[in-house]
Amino acid sequence: MEPLRTRESLSPASASVSHVRRRAPTACRVCRQRKVKCNVTSVGIPCLNCVRDGHSCEVSGRKRRAHPQSQSNDMTTTRDATGATSTSSSGDFPSTIACSEPPILTPITTPLTASAITPFVPPSGMRDEVEHETAIEVDPSITMDLGERGADDYAIESLASSIMEDTAEATTETFYVGDQQGIGYILDIVGEPGGISQHYGLPYMVATHDLTPQDVAYLRSKGVFSVPSDPVCQALLTAYFYHIHPILPVVDAAAVLASFRNGGASAVNLLLLWSMFSVAANYVDKAVVRQAGYQSHKEMKKSMFIRAKCLYDNGCEEDRISIIQSVSLLAFWYSDLGERTESWHWMGIAISLSQTLGLNRDPDRGQYNTRLSERQRQLWRRIWWSCFFRDRWLSLGMGRPMRINIRDCDTPMPSAKDLTNDFSELPPLIRAKYMPFDFQQLAEHWVVLLHLSKVLGTILSENYSPTGPLPSRSWIEATEQELMLCIAQAGDRPLDASPALSFYSYHLRLHYNAATIALWRPYSNRVATGVSFDQESAWFAHVNQKIRAAAANTNTMLDKVISDQLIGFIGPMTIPVLVPAMNSHLLESKSADPLIRQSSLNKLDLFMIVLRKVQDVYSSATFIHGLFLQAIAKLNSPHYSGANTPQRISPRQNSIADSTGQGTLQCRGDPIPMDAFWQIDDRISDIWDLLPTFSGAGTDENGSS
């Protein structure tokens, strides 16, 4: 496995000559004077800030005491866009909080409107200012011809040495040696029993990805260096931390907000920034959308997604934690059925990279790992379990296999403190601006959601595996008790709850109801083992009652969302958890009893109204809305001859049914072209105009989306 190459030069001479000191990364002169985060250590000289603003990028060393014998070797390193990589140190960054975040790239987008972009104008005389500092020493052998062996070879050798001798300097990057079946067994042989770590800090290495002038020109043409104005950025960040962070806390909130506070949007990692903005665009008001130069939420969201994807595709970011954070957010993107890079694609990248870094493994297994800070541990736990959460619910919503095997994971589950510690380091005014006052309860809800996701994984592996027998009745009932214990931990919603806490309290129960339906649905036409022949009728009635109750509870939660005027909080993760209840109502609409049939269609109407309300923002809502419209039209067609109830299969028929592919209830309709959605006459009465208007995220002054 090739280690990640970052940060600081490591050459043959630096590996053998003792007088060359390693230095931590720093900022270039312009970024230092502006007090913004500089990515010169990631992309080399010039940094992207200087490229974007047209400055000369210079890197100087730290001030040192005068030594006559060494002054002749001092030099100042400068270069243009085609020069070589230089190294520096981050000691000038204004906040210790921001320093804990991995070095980051700068933001990217197509130019918005002139009013939406704030170019940097340097103070007069900045370029002429000269700092009286001693320059960084550069060993001449770095530029010598190394023959068959290059700097990369020596960097890899240095990595092997640092692992064996445990001498690597602390960095934000780690190397995961893996389990005993791989190279990790070497460490078991030579190390002390019970004291072997799997996570090692990477030594500073040569940055190998230099942006050529052509790269910069291409990125500029895509608008990657054009960030929105400060008011738009603040609105997007507020929307992100109110709506996304409580349910997917993959970013270091304190580091991002401290960087933005000290240096504006340009001080935040560009790939991460555009990824965050692409999701936050779902929630901002229409006025913000227009201020940013867009006509709709979808247009704004697509523009920011394209910028983030451009940065990712061009390999502008080498820090793998930043990449995982970014692609986890890009996984919210959904355009159409033909899109290759949709949720499943991006989450696959996030999970794969997380396992490459060993985030699925407890870094303190065996003994406490002193190479990692507590802040890193908390961030890693949040990132890994966020991937786990998305993996389980994407599997349920898309009907695809789970990627994460729970047996390969021993990373401790996060606590609410892992989220709240982020904000404890921020000033109270910043916390109040970007987070609800009851964020502690939101953090506790997220932990409950993780426990629900863990139980859901068991349900999917046991109930929906293509091989193996169905579970027993006792397992089903025990799993139901687990779900009930999970949701009981959430407690009742406080009377003075913020809108965010109110919505996510309902949102948590939507997940609970969806998991309950997933538990019982396979048994609507199958008898679990342990149910006797004379109890089969009672069993089917019991199963259907469980499914109907969970679907009805989903209606209740959705009705509360509407009555509390929280439609603006509905996000991309809400729509998939509505589908199990919608399926239940659709199945009930096939009943021979006219009263049951009409009642189920009335319940389904509520979902269709909500989907129609949010489909201007979410393409997935458009798809689900159209799909169910066509299904309802087909069921009501006079030519439809489908059975009113699914065939029931007893345990004695299961083995035969499994071999013929008839063991599960499947709806096998004709292929549904997207164009057909708009040819269906919408006969569901639009009662939305009867509801009170409200002022919330994603709405304009009149309350329309």
Side-chain angles (χ1 to χ4, degrees), residues 216-229:
V216 175
Y218 174 74
L219 294 174
R220 191 185 301 278
S221 71
K222 290 295 185 179
V224 210
F225 303 120
S226 304
V227 297
S229 61

Side-chain angles (χ1 to χ4, degrees), residues 675-696:
D675 292 343
F677 293 166
W678 317 116
Q679 301 170 6
I680 301 171
D681 186 18
D682 186 359
R683 293 170 290 171
I684 301 177
S685 58
D686 188 358
I687 64 170
W688 186 262
D689 293 336
L690 301 178
L691 296 175
T693 59
F694 62 96
S695 176

Side-chain angles (χ1 to χ4, degrees), residues 140-345:
S141 62
I142 294 178
T143 59
M144 293 173 58
D145 182 11
L146 300 177
E148 295 292 330
R149 296 173 58 77
D152 290 352
D153 297 305
Y154 291 96
I156 293 172
E157 285 185 1
S158 176
L159 171 62
S161 174
S162 65
I163 290 176
M164 282 296 178
E165 300 173 12
D166 198 11
T167 57
E169 297 183 30
T171 66
T172 57
E173 285 289 341
T174 60
F175 178 76
Y176 175 61
V177 298
D179 295 328
Q180 287 186 339
Q181 66 266 33
I183 62 174
Y185 189 58
I186 301 174
L187 301 177
D188 285 345
I189 296 174
V190 302
E192 298 179 5
I196 304 300
S197 174
Q198 294 177 303
H199 300 81
Y200 292 85
L202 282 178
Y204 292 119
M205 299 183 184
V206 178
T208 58
H209 185 82
D210 288 334
L211 288 178
T212 66
Q214 292 82 3
D215 293 332
V216 175
Y218 174 74
L219 294 174
R220 191 185 301 278
S221 71
K222 290 295 185 179
V224 210
F225 303 120
S226 304
V227 297
S229 61
D230 278 349
V232 173
C233 289
Q234 289 181 8
L236 286 166
L237 285 176
T238 301
Y240 178 85
F241 287 110
Y242 258 81
H243 296 272
I244 299 299
H245 194 68
I247 198 171
L248 201 77
V250 293
V251 304
D252 188 333
V256 170
L257 291 176
S259 298
F260 179 75
R261 180 188 177 206
N262 293 323
S266 297
V268 183
N269 181 307
L270 268 183
L271 174 60
L272 183 59
L273 185 79
W274 287 122
S275 302
M276 294 169 64
F277 283 0
S278 70
V279 187
N282 294 319
Y283 300 97
V284 295
D285 293 338
K286 278 282 186 71
V288 176
V289 175
R290 289 191 289 267
Q291 184 181 359
Y294 301 100
Q295 299 301 314
S296 67
H297 286 88
K298 284 184 178 179
E299 182 188 355
M300 184 179 188
K301 180 167 52 176
K302 183 176 182 179
S303 174
M304 294 176 171
F305 170 81
I306 289 174
R307 289 157 168 75
K309 185 175 182 295
C310 179
L311 279 170
Y312 174 82
D313 290 341
N314 283 273
C316 296
E317 179 59 66
E318 290 190 338
D319 185 271
R320 288 176 289 184
I321 289 293
S322 296
I323 294 174
I324 294 169
Q325 294 168 325
S326 300
V327 297
S328 298
L329 298 173
L330 294 180
F332 287 115
W333 173 253
Y334 179 90
S335 177
D336 56 58
L337 295 178
E339 179 70 53
R340 175 182 63 83
T341 55
E342 37 77 48
S343 301
W344 190 259
H345 167 83

Side-chain angles (χ1 to χ4, degrees), residues 47-58:
C47 70
L48 290 184
N49 290 337
C50 291
V51 170
R52 184 190 61 203
D53 298 325
H55 298 308
S56 174
C57 191
E58 299 180 359

